[in-house]
Amino acid sequence: MATFISPGDAVRLIEPGWTITTGGFGSCGHPEAITAALESRFLREQQPSGLTLIFSAGQGDRGYRGINRLGRPGLLSRVIGGYWALAPQLGELAKAGAIEAYNWPQGVISQMFRAVAGGSPGIVSRVGLGTFIDPRQAGGRLNNSSRGDMINLVRLGAEEYLHYPSMPIDCAIIRGTSADARGNISMEREANFQDSLSQAMAARNSGGIIIAQVERFSPESLPAHQVRVPGIFVDYVVLAPPELHWQTYGSPFDPAFVGDPGASGMRPPALAMGPKKIIARRALFELLGEHEAVVNLGIGTPEAIASVAAEEHAEGFTLTVESGAIGGYPAGGMSFGATVSPQAVIEQPSLFDFYDGGGIDIAFLGNAQTDTRGNVNVSRFGDRLCGVGGFVNISQAAKKLVFCGTFTTGGLQLEAEKGRLKILREGRIQKFVAEVEEVCFNAGRGDAAKREVIYVTERGVLRLVDGRLTLTEVAPGIDPERDVVGQAGASIHIAEDLAGMDPRIFTPETMNLYGSTRQDFHYFPSTCTIQ
């Protein structure tokens, strides 16, 4: 029988120096009432202090909610996380050296909870080899305070692997929708299931405690098939006030996020003509003829592909999100992490099993920096700390990679008119550089050379050909020497058979990729700005 307690009483159970893990994915599913109480207690008492926090997916709103509440000096001493961008309060502690800070692949951390639960010494994986997570590079360390070599290089036969060590979990803080008297937890109103079951089992078999936040108590026993976390894995249940248990940070509850049949006709919002739409349109060409393809869309510009796909009535592929959602399309903004009208939702570590084994046919990912060798950085650039999230898992295993992003950034202004592109003001910051600041995708390692690797920008398409960046398509109106080669710090080769990008990409009309091929378009100018 679980004990029902208040958020304040729950956090008094957490002792200094403990290792804790919290639930949540993006802007949904975080146990806000409990972390808010933990923050309040620390501000009053300066306790508990010196905690280690482990999280896989980012949990926050880029402001003060989610694990941002734990970004108080002294509350945490060490953080191991997958995606840091949604928790800038923790990022500031990491950049200041106030905590030991590590960035591990999101999928590895997600699978790690199962390893802890099963008494395994850790995860042995190829994921991370040749990247900044490899101990021969930075070992995933984010600052000079992180001196420990936690990740080890090992050999099994003739093959290299990375060993990510298990560590006991003293307290798992998770979230569900309903709890019955036995502490069984259901998730009928949650956008995804995340790592909740694995986190609870890891804490249980570590001798730790499990605290679950829910929005309602069920006086009747929950139906067995609705239980996502059995009561034998739950010690304490917290009934949260409604304002601290929104389905996402942007919505108290949206039935479309739980696959309600009544919401199945919803479509992504249309995008105005601009760089994201231009890039997403060209990226969509890579899905033509891909029947039954399993697709992953990364955060940022790749998310726009869902909108363009809906606009073009695209078909023949299934979108997936590493939170565990299959089908539908990813939500954005303050509902990032949820999926609109999913066909199914499974647990995050199970979907990463599928990803790591090569289950993704095409992955569309962002690229903050790309260098001469085709390496990509998305984790850290300048003073920005984002973390890799699921990028390393996905980029190492997907059968085909399409990196999506503008060619430059920082004040870039474009105009798309009459099927042509004009650069009104060039971006101040080069994104194609001689050498990336951190390697998140190593283009020269393993079977990367055997896969199709494409870099789609608003002004051209580059491909990895014989280990070098090669411009294979250029937008109408763009001079390849002046606007591509001349605006890059990376060495870019221009293909002898350089082709033009389809003019339909640069018009406000739909492209009719999956319908009519008529060419009688009406052209209107459109101007856009990237800050």
Side-chain angles (χ1 to χ4, degrees):
M1 302 291 287
T3 302
F4 286 74
I5 57 178
S6 69
D9 288 340
V11 299
R12 298 197 73 81
L13 299 168
I14 300 173
E15 298 183 8
W18 271 15
T19 294
I20 68 171
T21 182
T22 54
F25 188 105
S27 295
C28 53
H30 183 74
E32 196 76 22
I34 300 174
T35 50
L38 182 57
E39 177 190 35
S40 295
R41 182 193 171 198
F42 182 78
L43 291 176
R44 290 193 314 270
E45 307 172 12
Q46 293 297 293
Q47 290 295 333
S49 61
L51 302 178
T52 291
L53 171 67
I54 303 176
F55 66 92
S56 58
Q59 306 161 24
D61 61 353
R62 300 183 188 270
Y64 67 93
R65 292 178 290 187
I67 52 177
N68 286 292
R69 294 183 182 276
L70 308 184
R72 301 288 185 173
L75 175 57
L76 301 174
S77 62
R78 181 171 65 169
V79 176
I80 301 169
Y83 188 61
W84 287 67
L86 299 178
Q89 303 296 334
L90 296 188
E92 290 303 314
L93 293 179
K95 289 187 288 186
I99 56 173
E100 291 183 56
Y102 300 87
N103 188 193
W104 290 8
Q106 180 176 321
V108 167
I109 299 174
S110 181
Q111 294 160 337
M112 175 67 68
F113 297 126
R114 295 193 308 195
V116 175
S120 168
I123 297 291
V124 175
S125 173
R126 291 188 178 91
V127 174
L129 284 169
T131 73
F132 79 100
I133 295 164
D134 193 313
R136 291 168 293 192
Q137 294 191 28
R141 294 184 293 271
L142 296 180
N143 57 26
N144 292 331
S145 298
S146 310
R147 297 188 176 89
D149 292 324
M150 301 186 70
I151 303 169
N152 300 303
L153 180 69
V154 298
R155 287 184 177 273
L156 296 177
E159 297 292 327
E160 290 183 340
Y161 296 86
L162 296 181
H163 170 238
Y164 299 84
S166 290
M167 56 200 74
I169 304 296
D170 298 303
C171 179
I173 305 172
I174 63 173
R175 175 177 135 159
T177 300
S178 304
D180 63 20
R182 291 191 174 94
N184 294 312
I185 306 297
S186 63
M187 298 185 177
E188 65 270 21
R189 287 166 60 89
E190 304 303 312
N192 43 57
F193 306 142
Q194 311 151 28
D195 302 312
S196 300
L197 178 60
S198 301
Q199 289 171 308
M201 291 194 296
R204 167 62 70 241
N205 284 352
S206 297
I209 63 172
I210 302 91
I211 306 171
Q213 172 180 315
V214 297
E215 63 176 297
R216 63 180 294 269
F217 169 71
S218 173
E220 305 293 333
S221 295
L222 292 171
H225 283 200
Q226 291 184 14
V227 174
R228 303 303 308 184
V229 182
I232 62 170
F233 305 139
V234 178
D235 297 298
Y236 302 95
V237 177
V238 170
L239 289 175
E243 66 273 16
L244 294 178
H245 200 98
W246 278 29
Q247 186 185 36
T248 73
Y249 289 134
S251 173
F253 178 73
D254 190 330
F257 296 158
V258 294
D260 189 313
S264 60
M266 294 182 64
R267 300 170 69 81
L271 293 176
M273 180 60 78
K276 278 191 176 182
K277 187 165 187 173
I278 290 170
I279 294 167
R281 280 181 156 188
R282 173 56 188 86
L284 187 62
F285 277 73
E286 299 304 318
L287 285 171
L288 287 173
E290 294 288 346
H291 300 297
E292 306 303 323
V294 176
V295 178
N296 176 270
L297 300 182
I299 190 172
T301 298
E303 294 177 66
I305 296 170
S307 177
V308 171
E311 184 178 85
E312 297 292 331
H313 301 283
E315 56 187 20
F317 55 88
T318 300
L319 300 181
T320 65
V321 179
E322 50 265 44
S323 62
I326 296 170
Y329 63 89
M334 285 294 100
S335 290
F336 165 68
T339 295
V340 178
S341 301
Q343 299 171 20
V345 179
I346 63 176
E347 292 163 354
Q348 181 176 206
S350 295
L351 193 55
F352 269 111
D353 290 341
F354 177 72
Y355 283 1
D356 290 349
I360 300 175
D361 295 302
I362 306 178
F364 296 88
L365 301 169
N367 60 330
Q369 289 181 329
T370 302
D371 68 18
T372 296
R373 291 169 290 182
N375 299 325
V376 175
N377 170 29
V378 297
S379 60
R380 191 168 190 170
F381 32 96
D383 63 350
R384 292 190 61 187
L385 172 58
C386 293
V388 289
F391 180 94
V392 176
N393 296 81
I394 293 166
S395 64
Q396 285 195 203
K399 298 180 180 71
K400 177 178 178 178
L401 291 172
V402 183
F403 295 105
C404 305
T406 55
F407 197 80
T408 64
T409 190
L412 175 65
Q413 291 185 11
L414 309 171
E415 181 179 82
E417 184 179 11
K418 297 184 179 180
R420 297 173 67 82
L421 184 68
K422 182 178 180 181
I423 299 174
L424 302 179
R425 186 174 71 184
E426 191 60 78
R428 300 184 304 276
I429 302 170
Q430 290 182 338
K431 294 180 64 177
F432 285 79
V433 297
E435 187 172 350
V436 295
E437 293 177 50
E438 288 187 338
V439 177
C440 302
F441 167 68
N442 190 323
R445 183 172 183 87
D447 62 353
K450 302 175 186 176
R451 293 182 288 163
E452 195 172 2
V453 182
I454 304 170
Y455 309 81
V456 176
T457 77
E458 81 290 346
R459 68 188 69 183
V461 177
L462 299 92
R463 295 176 185 269
L464 197 58
V465 180
D466 297 328
R468 64 179 178 175
L469 288 177
T470 303
L471 180 69
T472 58
E473 296 177 38
V474 67
I478 293 297
D479 183 297
E481 290 285 356
R482 180 193 65 207
D483 300 324
V484 179
V485 175
Q487 295 298 328
S491 175
I492 296 176
H493 173 70
I494 299 177
E496 293 182 4
D497 56 347
L498 180 65
M501 294 171 70
D502 194 311
R504 291 177 293 177
I505 296 170
F506 307 96
T507 70
E509 314 324 25
T510 58
M511 298 185 294
N512 294 305
L513 294 184
Y514 289 77
S516 170
T517 57
R518 64 184 178 85
Q519 297 295 316
D520 55 330
F521 299 105
H522 301 284
Y523 301 110
F524 299 92
S526 177
T527 302
C528 54
T529 302
I530 300 177
Q531 297 299 327

